[in-house]
Amino acid sequence: MTARTPSRTLGESVRDIPEATVARLPVYLRALNTLAEAGTRTCSSEELATAAGVNSAKLRKDLSYLGSYGTRGVGYDVDYLRYQIAREIGVTQDWPVVIVGIGNLGHALANYSGFRSRGFRVVALLDADHSRHGEVVAGVDVRAFDDLEEIVSTHGVAIGVIAAPAAAAQDVADRMVACGITSILNFAPSVISVPDGVDVRKVDLSIELQILAYHEQRKAQLS
Amino acid sequence: MTARTPSRTLGESVRDIPEATVARLPVYLRALNTLAEAGTRTCSSEELATAAGVNSAKLRKDLSYLGSYGTRGVGYDVDYLRYQIAREIGVTQDWPVVIVGIGNLGHALANYSGFRSRGFRVVALLDADHSRHGEVVAGVDVRAFDDLEEIVSTHGVAIGVIAAPAAAAQDVADRMVACGITSILNFAPSVISVPDGVDVRKVDLSIELQILAYHEQRKAQLS
DNA sequence: AAGAGTTTGTGAACGGGGGCACAAAACGAG
DNA sequence: CTCGTTTTGTGCCCCCGTTCACAAACTCTT
């Protein structure tokens, strides 16, 4: 669902992990965290797979892309594997993030505790609406959209979140890219285009519901 | 990403559309709406594909699963195609929806205009917190979680949205299923298990960011 | 030390989806 | 009516991802 594959230029010494696997690693990480909190020291691929809601063969193959971190006949060491996955997807570091658009969704995102606990730190909330500047939401300063460049360079921001209306999304994205942001999470219901080398992921709430509606309708037709 | 393929029992007279195509139909629909608003009466697969951010061959193949709604040498009639897609995914009907969990996310969802405009009507916001019952958020009554069954049967709700904390998610899902809900959109960061015949889709905000972080980290490693 | 029992890691087969490229169909000009 | 132009619908091939099934590796018991 990522807009483009990262334009690998040269070198290519880095092991590359299939996109589908990358998307599941965070799920495994969460399952491992839950197991660790419950005091589990070791787990089999079967247990972890169940906790993550996937097939155990798939889990093992996924993990095998990272290396051989399990022990045959025994299973995986929860803490060790947890660390390895976290390191691989980069959540051991600190990722400064800016959110643009302080509507209901922007609010919800700023307040979302799941970000902070995974190494994402919201450094600013930007909005075009001047009347809200200076406000503090969830401990984060609301700033002018024009401050984007300064904020990005000051904090070394690489990831931007678009929670603005669809009409503004492309503009916001262009500005982000111009400031040096190279990864964008887009919640606006519109297609945005970006140059090569910039990753875009899109989350569309109403599309998810429409997909459910399609299947729901089919279920109804069968009877 | 849907948890299970709908357990087709017998009959099977209904054309079945690949899952990947179903996920893109709402995107096409939105692009068509935009074109219609701009006064466009007809469009080629190339134009529509660009607007939707996909390859034109893929677009044509996707549309061909619905039937032959285009005219060779001319293109597609915007209004006609719009209606056909809307009918196929079921957004010409009215879909009553309940949202459970009235935190920041529940608020944002209740206020989201994109639902209403696509045939989804939020009939109730449920929360375990008694102090909030009777409140009205975005024109929707906040009710007790125990009212779920009554609300579902009164309004004929088939789709439920979970915006509750992870710890409560499985419980909420079980109750939903018990009340007859057969499609669930889960925003809680946890794996929920449901019986066959119930569709679950999952949206996890922090997972999307983690996937971006992985690619961001790799970009950094190349230099 | 050897055999029975577990569990990982992976080769191989399979299925779905993406994209190219072309035939079929419609339209317009002359 | 015929020819050239445009654009759809789709057959074909390829690649990615999923799953099965098994050999390799480790533990434990006797």
Side-chain angles (χ1 to χ4, degrees):
Chain A
M1 205 60 54
T2 304
R4 68 199 64 260
T5 47
S7 56
R8 205 64 39 67
T9 34
L10 47 89
E12 186 60 59
S13 64
V14 227
R15 235 190 345 261
D16 72 324
I17 299 182
E19 197 51 38
T21 298
V22 171
R24 281 187 296 266
L25 289 179
V27 180
Y28 302 155
L29 186 53
R30 168 150 48 226
L32 284 167
N33 287 337
T34 308
L35 286 174
E37 278 164 29
T40 312
R41 314 285 299 171
T42 277
C43 68
S44 68
S45 64
E46 195 64 42
E47 292 173 76
L48 185 52
T50 306
V54 301
N55 179 298
S56 71
K58 182 160 31 175
L59 171 76
R60 288 198 300 275
K61 181 156 284 191
D62 283 342
L63 294 183
S64 76
Y65 292 115
L66 311 190
S68 282
Y69 296 138
T71 309
R72 298 174 191 226
V74 178
Y76 300 92
D77 181 282
V78 173
D79 275 334
Y80 183 55
L81 185 57
R82 192 159 63 135
Y83 171 73
Q84 293 298 343
I85 295 180
R87 190 179 49 78
E88 191 72 36
I89 60 183
V91 297
T92 49
Q93 344 179 352
D94 175 77
W95 293 100
V97 169
V98 288
I99 299 178
V100 176
I102 183 171
N104 287 293
L105 186 58
H107 246 96
L109 294 173
N111 276 290
Y112 185 46
S113 61
F115 290 163
R116 162 134 280 176
S117 67
R118 284 175 187 80
F120 300 99
R121 185 166 43 89
V122 179
V123 295
L125 271 168
L126 307 185
D127 203 288
D129 181 0
H130 292 276
S131 67
R132 313 205 52 170
H133 300 159
E135 224 175 294
V136 174
V137 172
V140 179
D141 288 334
V142 177
R143 308 263 310 256
F145 183 47
D146 287 331
D147 293 349
L148 179 63
E149 180 150 27
E150 185 219 314
I151 294 168
V152 168
S153 61
T154 306
H155 294 87
V157 177
I159 301 178
V161 176
I162 301 180
Q170 183 63 59
D171 261 9
V172 173
D174 291 343
R175 291 286 294 269
M176 283 181 166
V177 171
C179 292
I181 283 181
T182 46
S183 288
I184 295 176
L185 181 53
N186 180 27
F187 285 94
S190 68
V191 177
I192 61 177
S193 66
V194 296
D196 272 16
V198 177
D199 283 318
V200 175
R201 292 191 66 87
K202 184 164 159 42
V203 174
D204 190 314
L205 309 176
S206 83
I207 285 186
E208 299 300 322
L209 275 188
Q210 289 175 67
I211 296 171
L212 287 175
Y214 170 78
H215 290 299
E216 199 57 49
Q217 188 181 231
R218 285 180 65 94
K219 289 180 203 160
Q221 281 168 7
L222 289 177
S223 49
Chain B
M1 206 58 48
T2 303
R4 67 197 66 260
T5 47
S7 55
R8 205 64 39 67
T9 35
L10 48 88
E12 189 60 57
S13 64
V14 225
R15 237 188 345 260
D16 72 325
I17 299 181
E19 197 53 36
T21 297
V22 171
R24 280 186 296 267
L25 289 179
V27 180
Y28 302 155
L29 186 53
R30 169 150 47 225
L32 285 167
N33 288 336
T34 307
L35 286 175
E37 278 164 29
T40 313
R41 315 283 301 167
T42 278
C43 68
S44 68
S45 64
E46 196 64 42
E47 293 174 76
L48 185 52
T50 306
V54 301
N55 179 298
S56 70
K58 184 168 16 181
L59 170 76
R60 289 197 298 276
K61 184 163 285 187
D62 282 343
L63 294 183
S64 77
Y65 291 115
L66 311 189
S68 282
Y69 295 139
T71 310
R72 297 177 191 222
V74 178
Y76 300 93
D77 181 282
V78 173
D79 275 336
Y80 183 56
L81 185 58
R82 193 157 65 131
Y83 171 73
Q84 292 299 342
I85 295 180
R87 190 179 51 78
E88 190 73 36
I89 61 185
V91 296
T92 48
Q93 339 179 356
D94 175 78
W95 292 100
V97 169
V98 287
I99 299 177
V100 176
I102 183 170
N104 286 293
L105 187 58
H107 247 94
L109 294 173
N111 276 292
Y112 185 47
S113 61
F115 289 164
R116 162 134 281 176
S117 68
R118 283 173 187 81
F120 300 100
R121 186 166 42 89
V122 179
V123 296
L125 272 168
L126 307 185
D127 202 288
D129 180 1
H130 292 279
S131 68
R132 313 205 51 170
H133 300 160
E135 221 175 296
V136 174
V137 171
V140 179
D141 289 335
V142 177
R143 309 262 311 254
F145 183 46
D146 288 331
D147 293 349
L148 180 62
E149 180 150 25
E150 185 218 315
I151 294 167
V152 168
S153 60
T154 305
H155 293 87
V157 177
I159 302 178
V161 176
I162 301 180
Q170 182 65 59
D171 261 10
V172 172
D174 291 344
R175 291 285 295 271
M176 282 181 168
V177 171
C179 293
I181 282 179
T182 46
S183 289
I184 296 176
L185 180 53
N186 180 26
F187 285 93
S190 68
V191 176
I192 61 177
S193 67
V194 295
D196 271 15
V198 177
D199 283 318
V200 176
R201 291 190 68 88
K202 184 163 158 44
V203 174
D204 190 314
L205 309 177
S206 82
I207 284 185
E208 299 299 324
L209 275 188
Q210 290 175 66
I211 296 171
L212 286 175
Y214 168 79
H215 291 298
E216 200 57 49
Q217 186 181 232
R218 286 179 64 94
K219 288 180 206 161
Q221 282 170 6
L222 289 178
S223 48

